[in-house]
Amino acid sequence: MRLTIIGTGYVGLVTGTCFAEVGHQVVCVDNDTAKIKLLASGGIPIFEPGLEELVKKNVAAGRLSFSTNISEGVQKSEVIFIAVPTPPQPDGSVDSTFIERVARDIAAALTGYRIIVDKSTVPVKTGEKVAETIKRYGPAKVDFDVVSNPEFLREGFAVTDLMKPDRVVIGTRSPRPVEAMKNIYAPFNAPIVVTDINSAELIKHASNSFLALKISYINAVAAICEITGANVQEVAAGMGLDERIGRRFLNAGIGFGGSCFPKDLSAFIKIAEEIGYDFRLLKEVQIINRGQMDRFVKKITDTLWVLKDKKIGVLGLAFKQNTDDVRTSPAIELCQRLQKEGALLRVHDPKAMTKARAILKDVTYVDDMNAVADGCDALVVATEWDEFKKLDLERARKSLSHPIMFDGRNLFDRSEMERRGWVYKSVGR
Ligand code: UGA
């Protein structure tokens, strides 16, 4: 099918590329001229495993192209996906400016029936507003349908998540677009949930908030483990074997971050508030998440006492592994908290150092992870990169003034670390 994706951020670019990969004819549109130029010349603005190869392959095959022209995209395609940002406002509510703008742009370009699909994470009832807007600003006699089709990809695993989705959600007010939507997703062989538009929008906010809740839950359990001498990883393993619970998203740490969970949680709380429901459960999820960072910083100050002029090596800056994204990264927040106490930082991340440089100043960026500990008083693990498990622990132990490690992601084995002579503090163990 001929598809246009408006917005080439994480969601738009990966979705467009994977649609092309399964044989659709895709145009990715963005108003950022520099980004479109970069993509058209074979460059990729983000690090995402497997994406670059797929983009190149599909551009070469003539199935994927890039443009800055929305109206051309609307005219050429049968289905138009909206994948623009929905950033948070200072009060936590969603800023829908970009969606509204795109809805008007689509309206202005409509000449015949089109399916307009919202992929961005939006408050419930946004689809209705998009439909009203297109009707108001579009040509009187032209018919269209609005569909909600939320995206569930995780950064760092985006291509896999898109090619093998757990489910595809199609929310619509009329049956007319269902057939076309099913055709688009047929090659992905995933269960398809067809529902009304408001339910589809809610599925996204309810899913992300539930996953965030799961993380806060295990972080609260981790606090109990620390007091009682239990091991949160053993607890999570035992809980996770119950299929109703599942082991995934039960990793205790320094809290969740990124561009989705914190934002979507605030948005869902705000949406509930606006319709008269006080979602206290989710407020508690936020409180536990903030407390997790406080408790970790306290662990460091309890051990090192005064941080002023102490040298601390930090492994990890991205908000999680497999990405160069540092937006709302707990690792960056941790660095800033340590800096505020006067600590001097040597930091490393396998992919995120370029993006971190723009927001994290006055630290020493170290290219080799094994050199981060050189001359430091302690080492901190802040992101769950698998490759940190291959750290040369002997070298790190010798280069630190005292072998002290604060492992905010439980990457290392506690008894093994202690056997090797480390003062080792982790989370919930
Ligand atoms: C999240 C959801 O997982 C996706 O399904 C969703 O599509 C996406 O948001 C979105 O709304 O666009 P993402 O933000 O890429 O994906 O990252 P996650 O893998 O969910 O991790 C989020 C944060 O939780 C990270 O900081 C991670 O370190 C933390 N986390 C995750 C934990 O602390 N413990 C865990 O067990 C799992």
Side-chain angles (χ1 to χ4, degrees):
M1 293 183 71
R2 281 172 291 122
L3 312 175
T4 286
I5 321 282
I6 302 174
T8 51
Y10 267 98
V11 171
L13 181 57
V14 185
T15 308
T17 307
C18 291
F19 281 163
E21 175 65 13
V22 297
H24 299 304
Q25 195 66 37
V26 181
V27 187
C28 284
V29 179
D30 203 291
N31 58 7
D32 183 340
T33 322
K35 199 195 262 186
I36 290 300
K37 242 188 190 160
L38 176 74
L39 284 161
S41 65
I44 304 285
I46 49 172
F47 167 74
E48 189 60 45
L51 182 63
E52 190 167 350
E53 298 77 4
L54 276 197
V55 171
K56 286 195 172 133
K57 180 181 159 197
N58 285 286
V59 168
R63 287 190 297 264
L64 180 63
S65 60
F66 300 97
S67 163
T68 50
N69 190 335
I70 285 198
S71 57
E72 195 187 305
V74 172
Q75 269 139 32
K76 271 188 182 166
S77 294
E78 306 153 69
V79 184
I80 326 294
F81 287 81
I82 305 177
V84 294
T86 46
Q89 310 210 71
D91 69 352
S93 63
V94 173
D95 177 355
S96 301
T97 315
F98 298 117
I99 299 254
E100 196 266 353
R101 175 78 246 172
V102 168
R104 281 193 280 140
D105 288 344
I106 292 173
L110 271 190
T111 47
Y113 177 76
R114 293 288 182 275
I115 301 171
I116 293 116
V117 184
D118 174 42
K119 246 200 182 308
S120 307
T121 303
V122 292
V124 58
K125 290 182 168 292
T126 297
E128 289 178 4
K129 295 209 174 74
V130 167
E132 269 169 33
T133 305
I134 296 177
K135 204 167 178 166
R136 189 172 304 140
Y137 291 92
K141 288 197 184 97
V142 174
D143 211 4
F144 66 91
D145 271 303
V146 172
V147 170
S148 165
N149 171 224
E151 183 45 60
F152 301 100
L153 63 82
R154 290 162 302 160
E155 288 182 24
F157 303 91
V159 173
T160 322
D161 284 352
L162 239 143
M163 295 306 287
K164 294 190 186 105
D166 286 346
R167 79 295 208 186
V168 171
V169 174
I170 297 171
T172 165
R173 288 192 300 182
S174 87
R176 187 169 174 192
V178 174
E179 187 70 16
M181 291 303 293
K182 282 188 172 170
N183 282 343
I184 294 172
Y185 281 103
F188 297 95
N189 288 321
I192 294 184
V193 179
V194 178
T195 182
D196 63 275
I197 204 158
N198 290 343
S199 301
E201 288 167 342
L202 273 174
I203 287 171
K204 174 69 195 221
H205 268 130
S207 299
N208 269 9
S209 299
F210 186 78
L211 290 168
L213 177 145
K214 210 173 166 188
I215 299 169
S216 276
Y217 185 81
I218 202 65
N219 281 335
V221 172
I224 305 289
C225 288
E226 283 175 18
I227 301 163
T228 55
N231 180 330
V232 73
Q233 281 176 317
E234 305 281 321
V235 175
M239 287 169 63
L241 284 171
D242 184 331
E243 279 181 16
R244 293 169 303 172
I245 298 173
R247 174 64 183 83
R248 294 171 77 191
F249 280 70
L250 284 182
N251 294 321
I254 55 172
F256 57 78
S259 62
C260 302
F261 284 176
K263 164 179 91 88
D264 291 352
L265 207 52
S266 304
F268 204 22
I269 292 169
K270 200 76 196 162
I271 290 162
E273 187 186 305
E274 277 162 15
I275 55 172
Y277 181 75
D278 183 5
F279 217 145
R280 280 178 301 178
L281 178 66
L282 295 186
K283 290 180 183 166
E284 199 55 39
V285 170
Q286 290 180 316
I287 291 168
I288 294 170
N289 199 50
R290 281 196 288 270
Q292 201 61 10
M293 178 65 76
D294 295 341
R295 292 195 316 115
F296 193 70
V297 171
K298 183 167 182 307
K299 225 171 254 178
I300 298 174
T301 51
D302 278 353
T303 308
L304 299 181
W305 194 14
V306 175
L307 294 191
K308 187 156 183 354
D309 297 333
K310 294 261 164 63
K311 284 197 183 134
I312 300 179
V314 180
L315 289 169
L317 298 166
F319 81 99
K320 64 170 190 179
Q321 68 162 330
N322 275 343
T323 180
D324 63 350
D325 197 346
V326 291
R327 289 174 293 171
T328 330
S329 168
I332 299 277
E333 187 191 335
L334 178 60
C335 288
Q336 289 166 338
R337 297 270 298 256
L338 299 177
Q339 277 186 316
K340 220 168 154 194
E341 299 280 331
L344 308 168
L345 306 182
R346 290 171 60 77
V347 302
H348 169 80
D349 190 282
K351 292 287 174 205
M353 294 213 280
T354 309
K355 289 193 175 157
R357 274 177 217 272
I359 48 175
L360 185 63
K361 314 274 184 198
D362 303 321
V363 301
T364 306
Y365 286 92
V366 184
D367 287 331
D368 174 7
M369 74 168 170
N370 287 312
V372 168
D374 290 359
C376 286
D377 297 283
L379 194 56
V380 170
V381 178
T383 307
E384 65 271 40
W385 281 97
D386 259 344
E387 52 203 276
F388 292 160
K389 292 181 188 157
K390 296 189 202 113
L391 183 75
D392 184 341
L393 285 168
E394 254 338 273
R395 174 178 165 176
R397 200 171 66 83
K398 287 186 189 135
S399 24
L400 288 163
S401 64
H402 294 90
I404 304 174
M405 184 191 283
F406 302 96
D407 182 355
R409 298 295 191 166
N410 291 347
L411 287 192
F412 296 97
D413 184 85
R414 182 178 165 178
S415 26
E416 175 64 12
M417 291 298 281
E418 285 171 355
R419 198 185 58 74
R420 284 167 172 259
W422 285 82
V423 172
Y424 177 75
K425 312 261 174 183
S426 52
V427 181
R429 312 186 293 169

